[in-house]
């Protein structure tokens, strides 16, 4: 036991810098990589993108002999190659919502905004970090799924398509771009709703509930409206053939991007105005 | 230095902070006292710009918190509510905050050692005990070597050794010329740590005083008397500032008079006294007297609502 009171001294910090955007980018990257949900969601996203096309390719190959000519004609090699994108988008969307909603549910948002009181820097940094990460994950994922599904189908010499054929590379990489935009859209929704369950529900509502509801409308309305929904517009990025009552790939991509921008603007306005 | 002017915050129809004006000066520890729900935590959120005031404003070291280029270097704050992602380790939590200001990584380890979290720094912070969480919050507050340190109930959850450590830390920080602003419900704790007190009740300023003044005011005039003629004694002592409370074993507690005054009055009335003991009101009692009206009002209000 020491009789004298031990004095506690805070060591001085020899160098202090100011808040700068590149520093917030680094900070948000540290946060992104240091929670388990990131590894899980990204891992699952990659696996789903790759596993579904491989499974479908094997199934198609083994059933090819017993399929009717009509059935065979309905198979599209790119549909098989990119089938996983439809599933992977959910994993990327959930993580997008979580990246911001978990800050509110755990209270870490108060630490975040105390360190960076110019709140928009945080939003921009999260969006950029997540876009880079999801694109870096999805580009290899769609390439692997395209070439592996083609290799499996190629052993039976069926449903072959070349990467250099017009539109194919665009559609394959468009699948990755689409998922990246889904992540952005989900992150913005998370920032608006500030609640994990609510954010995921809002995303699912817009992407999975709204489209089938359109079939209740008169056909002419459905045809006119559906193509402008975020999900329908966005998926034109990775469809090879232009169907009737759908937008062209570039237009569809731009319409989806516009939805993302709108969601980001709403999120930004609310972020600045609301109490934490 | 923290300067609040007419600071007011409404949440819907509820006024949490009501026209607060005060200055927290550097070089001393300033205690921020008030009963539950009096608006201490809200005031601190307003200081950090987390919540926007309905009226009035507050500056830290001369400007709005949000206008500082290096906010963590200006103010280090420990908030009441948990402010750490439960899935992230203490190390990564502090690292992410340090990176926003380009603070080097070794500073993070330095602070983890300072608060004694070395063993658990790489574990998920959601598993931390209350005291460990509090230590992490203190490390966070001190990360940027801040000119102003603002802590919301820092001893909450700390063991006696931790409380002692905290007291020394706060005094040390003030001695280095920093502004130290600490909230608490515990007057006795503040009497040991603080030099100055800002007391609020129901969002309003009640007292802005040095601890010495507060203590001398508190230790005034409570006398315990014992007498076979208590009723006559009451009558002899009665006055506008005098109140009575029954004490143990048939004694009477007289508030508002000194022992000399009670003795003289008893002698003048020819009343026999068996005991005459001046007693110091505890600081806790003095604090409760000061804030009693506010608390009572709140309790009444709740009864009406319920
Ligand atoms: N975000 C909020 N929304 C609505 N009301 C709030 C909010 N924050 C605080 N209040 C209300 O404002 C009042 C002041 O609360 P505050 O937490 O600031 O008090 P406090 O002095 O810190 O209390 P305690 O000693 O219990 O920590 C309370 O009545 C509380 O219910
Ligand atoms: Mg509080």
């Amino acid at each position: 036991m020491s009789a004298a009171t031990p004095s506690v001294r805070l060591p001085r910090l020899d160098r202090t810098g100011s808040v700068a955007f590149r520093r917030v980018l680094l900070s948000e990257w540290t946060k992104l990589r240091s929670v388990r949900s990131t590894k899980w969601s990204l891992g699952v996203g990659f696996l789903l993108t790759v596993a579904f096309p491989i499974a479908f390719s094997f199934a198609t190959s083994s059933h090819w002999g017993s399929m009717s000519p009509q059935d065979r004609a309905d198979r599209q090699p790119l549909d098989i190659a990119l089938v996983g994108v439809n599933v992977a988008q959910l994993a990327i969307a959930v993580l997008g919502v979580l990246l911001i909603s978990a800050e509110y549910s755990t209270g870490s948002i108060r630490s975040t905004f105390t360190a960076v009181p110019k709140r928009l820097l945080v939003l921009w940094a999260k969006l950029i970090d997540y876009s880079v990460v999801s694109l870096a994950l999805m580009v290899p994922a769609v390439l692997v799924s395209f070439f592996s599904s083609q290799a499996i189908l190629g052993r039976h010499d069926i449903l072959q398509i070349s990467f250099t054929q017009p539109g194919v590379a665009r559609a394959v990489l468009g699948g990755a771009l689409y998922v990246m935009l889904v992540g952005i859209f989900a992150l913005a929704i998370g920032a608006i709703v500030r609640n994990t369950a609510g954010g995921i529900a809002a995303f699912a509502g817009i992407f999975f509930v709204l489209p089938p509801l359109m079939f209740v409308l008169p056909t002419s309305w459905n045809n006119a409206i559906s193509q402008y929904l975020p999900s329908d517009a966005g998926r034109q990025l990775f469809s090879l053939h232009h169907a009737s009552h759908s937008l062209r790939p570039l237009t569809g991509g731009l319409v989806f991007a516009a939805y993302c921008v709108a969601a980001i603007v709403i999120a930004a306005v609310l972020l600045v105005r609301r109490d934490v | 230095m923290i300067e609040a002017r007419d600071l007011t915050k409404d949440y819907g129809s509820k006024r949490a902070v009501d026209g607060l004006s005060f200055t927290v000066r550097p070089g001393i520890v300033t205690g921020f006292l008030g009963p539950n729900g009096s608006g201490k935590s809200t005031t601190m959120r307003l200081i950090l710009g987390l919540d926007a005031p309905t009226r009035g404003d507050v500056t830290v070291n001369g400007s709005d918190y949000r206008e500082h280029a290096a906010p963590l270097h200006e103010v280090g704050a420990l908030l009441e509510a948990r402010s750490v992602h439960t899935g992230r380790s203490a190390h990564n939590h502090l690292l992410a905050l340090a990176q926003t200001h380009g603070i080097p990584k070794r500073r993070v380890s330095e602070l983890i050692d300072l608060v004694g979290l070395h063993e658990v720094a790489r574990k998920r912070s959601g598993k931390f005990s209350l005291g460990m969480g509090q230590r992490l919050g203190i490390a966070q507050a001190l990360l940027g070597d801040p000119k102003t340190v603002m802590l919301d109930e820092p001893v909450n959850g700390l063991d006696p050794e931790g409380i002692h450590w905290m007291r020394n830390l706060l005094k040390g920080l003030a001695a280095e010329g920093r502004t130290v602003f600490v909230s608490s419900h515990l007057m006795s704790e503040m009497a040991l740590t603080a030099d100055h007190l800002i007391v609020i009740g129901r969002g309003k300023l009640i007292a802005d005083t040095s601890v010495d003044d507060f203590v001398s005011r508190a230790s005034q005039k409570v006398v315990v008397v014992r007498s076979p003629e208590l009723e006559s004694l009451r009558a002899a002592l009665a006055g506008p500032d005098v109140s009575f409370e029954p004490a143990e074993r048939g004694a009477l507690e007289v508030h508002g008079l000194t022992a000399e005054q009670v003795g003289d009055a008893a002698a003048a009335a020819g009343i026999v006294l068996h005991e005459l003991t001046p007693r110091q009101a505890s600081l806790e009692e003095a604090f409760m007297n000061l804030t009693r009206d506010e608390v009572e009002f709140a309790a009444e209000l709740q009864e009406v609502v319920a």
Side-chain angles (χ1 to χ4, degrees):
Chain A
M1 287 281 288
S2 62
T5 314
S7 80
V8 192
R9 286 191 65 88
L10 172 62
R12 300 310 299 237
L13 184 59
D14 33 325
R15 189 172 61 82
T16 38
S18 305
V19 175
F21 185 55
R22 69 195 146 79
R23 289 176 167 160
V24 182
L25 273 177
L26 178 62
S27 164
E28 287 301 327
W29 165 242
T30 300
K31 283 158 119 185
L32 184 63
R33 68 173 172 76
S34 61
V35 289
R36 277 190 208 165
S37 51
T38 302
K39 285 155 201 162
W40 274 104
S41 304
L42 295 182
V44 166
F46 187 91
L47 273 182
L48 292 177
T49 310
V50 174
F52 274 87
I54 291 176
F56 275 48
S57 304
F58 277 120
T60 309
S61 306
S62 62
H63 285 77
W64 192 257
S66 58
M67 278 161 80
S68 70
Q70 179 60 49
D71 236 5
R72 291 179 177 182
D74 282 347
R75 303 295 115 184
Q76 297 296 333
L78 265 192
D79 287 351
I80 295 176
L82 297 176
V83 64
V85 166
N86 295 295
V87 200
Q89 63 170 333
L90 192 58
I92 300 300
V94 167
L95 183 58
V97 169
L98 269 177
L99 285 182
I100 187 108
S101 66
E103 289 231 25
Y104 284 94
S105 63
T106 60
S108 67
I109 195 73
R110 285 184 281 268
S111 299
T112 301
F113 287 157
T114 305
V116 186
K118 301 215 162 59
R119 299 177 190 174
L120 290 182
L121 292 184
V122 174
L123 181 62
W124 307 150
K126 278 189 195 294
L127 286 168
I128 291 175
D129 279 343
Y130 194 42
S131 304
V132 170
V133 168
S134 56
L135 199 62
L137 178 88
M138 287 308 293
V139 167
V142 289
L143 290 176
V144 168
S145 55
F146 175 80
F147 287 109
S148 57
S149 61
Q150 281 294 296
I152 293 162
L153 296 167
R155 291 197 298 189
H156 298 260
D157 234 359
I158 53 172
L159 296 171
Q160 291 300 290
I161 191 167
S162 161
F163 193 66
T164 52
Q165 224 168 294
V168 173
R170 188 270 303 152
V172 171
L173 296 174
L177 189 64
Y178 168 76
V179 174
M180 182 197 88
L181 288 172
V182 163
I184 289 176
F185 190 75
L187 207 159
I189 288 181
I192 294 167
V193 179
R194 305 204 289 189
N195 166 290
T196 305
I200 293 173
F203 177 83
I206 293 168
F207 274 70
F208 303 122
V209 179
L210 208 52
L213 277 185
M214 290 296 140
F215 286 96
V216 180
L217 298 175
T219 308
S220 61
W221 290 28
N222 180 14
N223 287 341
I225 296 172
S226 277
Q227 55 186 328
Y228 292 104
L229 290 180
S231 48
D232 284 42
R235 60 189 311 114
Q236 300 315 315
L237 282 170
F238 61 100
S239 65
L240 186 57
H241 300 292
H242 177 245
S244 58
H245 308 300
S246 63
L247 302 173
R248 305 250 158 218
L250 182 63
T251 326
L254 288 175
V255 167
F256 187 34
Y259 277 109
C260 292
V261 170
I264 291 169
V265 168
I266 294 170
V269 169
L270 292 176
L271 201 68
V272 172
R273 288 209 181 153
R274 289 194 289 209
D275 288 345
V276 177
Chain B
M1 179 94 109
I2 302 171
E3 290 169 284
R5 277 173 298 260
D6 194 27
L7 197 59
T8 302
K9 178 66 178 177
D10 293 342
Y11 292 109
S13 60
K14 163 94 197 162
R15 179 150 292 186
V17 173
D18 195 353
L20 275 189
S21 298
F22 60 81
T23 300
V24 185
R25 283 171 292 125
I28 55 170
V29 176
T30 301
F32 191 27
L33 277 153
N36 287 131
S38 54
K40 303 181 295 294
S41 300
T42 303
T43 304
M44 290 187 163
R45 286 200 306 276
L46 293 170
I47 292 171
L48 295 174
L50 291 174
D51 287 17
T54 307
R55 202 179 66 218
D57 67 277
V58 58
T59 61
V60 204
N61 306 336
S63 65
D64 187 317
Y65 182 76
R66 283 163 294 193
E67 300 306 321
H68 284 294
L72 291 185
H73 189 47
E74 301 296 333
V75 184
L78 166 72
L79 294 173
E80 172 182 47
R82 281 243 170 152
S83 331
V84 184
H85 192 300
T86 43
R88 195 171 286 127
S89 70
H91 174 86
N92 283 326
H93 173 71
L94 294 177
L95 179 62
L97 293 172
Q99 284 169 336
T100 60
H101 284 58
I103 296 171
K105 203 174 191 167
R106 58 168 194 284
R107 175 73 175 176
V108 171
S109 317
E110 197 170 67
L111 279 163
I112 284 174
D113 290 343
L114 183 80
V115 299
L117 282 181
H118 188 74
E119 307 276 297
V120 292
R122 304 276 173 173
K123 295 215 171 74
R124 288 155 48 98
S125 64
K127 303 247 186 278
F128 281 14
S129 68
L130 181 59
M132 283 153 81
Q134 205 72 348
R135 283 162 190 268
L136 173 56
I138 289 155
Q140 175 176 341
L142 301 178
L143 189 64
D145 197 6
K147 296 189 193 97
T148 294
V149 178
M150 184 169 81
L151 310 173
D152 200 352
E153 293 180 37
V155 299
N156 193 10
L158 292 186
D159 52 25
E161 195 193 330
I163 293 174
H164 186 70
W165 179 88
M166 173 65 63
R167 218 176 273 154
N168 285 323
L169 177 74
L170 295 179
K171 287 181 174 168
L173 292 169
E176 289 173 337
R178 298 178 213 255
T179 304
V180 181
F181 190 44
V182 193
S183 81
S184 177
H185 313 110
L186 296 177
M187 182 60 223
S188 48
E189 174 58 32
M190 283 296 105
L192 289 172
T193 317
D195 308 290
H196 196 87
L197 291 179
I198 291 171
V199 184
I200 62 171
R202 289 181 55 232
K204 289 200 177 82
L205 189 70
I206 296 182
D208 186 343
T209 166
S210 76
V211 172
D212 291 342
D213 278 357
F214 187 86
V215 170
S216 60
R217 248 199 295 158
S219 44
Q220 66 184 352
K221 300 182 193 165
V222 178
V223 184
V224 178
V225 285
R226 204 181 298 279
S227 164
E229 302 165 74
L230 270 186
E231 282 316 307
S232 334
L233 184 63
R234 269 177 188 262
L237 296 177
D241 294 328
V242 183
S243 64
F244 305 100
E245 266 175 45
E248 56 200 23
R249 290 187 292 120
L252 184 70
E253 223 179 72
V254 182
H255 293 251
L257 292 173
T258 62
E260 290 80 5
Q261 288 170 320
V262 174
D264 291 350
I271 297 171
V272 175
L273 294 185
H274 290 170
E275 182 185 344
L276 178 63
T277 316
R279 194 170 67 74
Q280 290 222 327
S282 75
L283 289 171
E284 229 51 77
E285 281 173 294
F287 172 55
M288 274 167 9
N289 283 339
L290 197 59
T291 56
R292 180 183 289 148
D293 299 340
E294 321 297 334
V295 178
E296 269 175 10
F297 186 81
E300 273 168 31
L301 206 66
Q302 261 169 7
E303 273 166 35
V304 171
V305 172

